[in-house]
Amino acid sequence: MGNSIKSAQFLIDSRLADAARGNADAAYELGMVYSSGAAGVDVDLIEAHKWFNIAALKGSAHAPYMRAEIAEDMTAREIIEAQKQARSWLQLTTLRAA
């Protein structure tokens, strides 16, 4: 069990690093992980919406559809929080890159 947790954490860490470099596919994959509970993480629709939003902004064609699909199961406040987190993450990674 310890190895699967390490593998899951490695997957998330590598996808986070790629997403920080602007990789839309990595952001989309993070959205999928958090929307489905894959890789041993808990389902977190706010986190999933955030990543689908980032992926959409970075050019993913599928992300807007997934974002809309999970938004149907979210409250307006949850969506606002996800959007706020996406903006913060984008600002933070933009500052690091500068």
Side-chain angles (χ1 to χ4, degrees):
M1 181 146 172
N3 285 337
S4 64
I5 291 172
K6 287 179 184 177
S7 295
Q9 191 59 51
F10 176 78
L11 168 70
I12 291 170
D13 290 346
S14 68
R15 298 289 75 197
L16 282 170
D18 290 343
R21 288 188 289 274
N23 185 313
D25 291 335
Y28 180 83
E29 288 175 26
L30 286 165
M32 292 300 292
V33 165
Y34 284 105
S35 66
S36 65
V41 302
D42 292 333
V43 171
D44 184 338
L45 295 183
I46 292 172
E47 194 72 10
H49 192 283
K50 173 183 103 174
W51 287 112
F52 287 137
N53 200 17
I54 292 166
L57 290 170
K58 297 294 181 181
S60 171
H62 299 290
Y65 300 107
M66 293 304 298
R67 180 181 59 203
E69 185 175 316
I70 66 167
E72 292 177 9
D73 296 326
M74 298 172 71
T75 66
R77 286 188 177 167
E78 289 172 328
I79 292 169
I80 290 167
E81 179 60 27
Q83 292 169 337
K84 178 181 164 188
Q85 288 182 20
R87 281 191 302 274
S88 294
W89 192 85
L90 288 166
Q91 288 173 345
L92 185 65
T93 56
T94 301
L95 288 175
R96 284 185 188 158

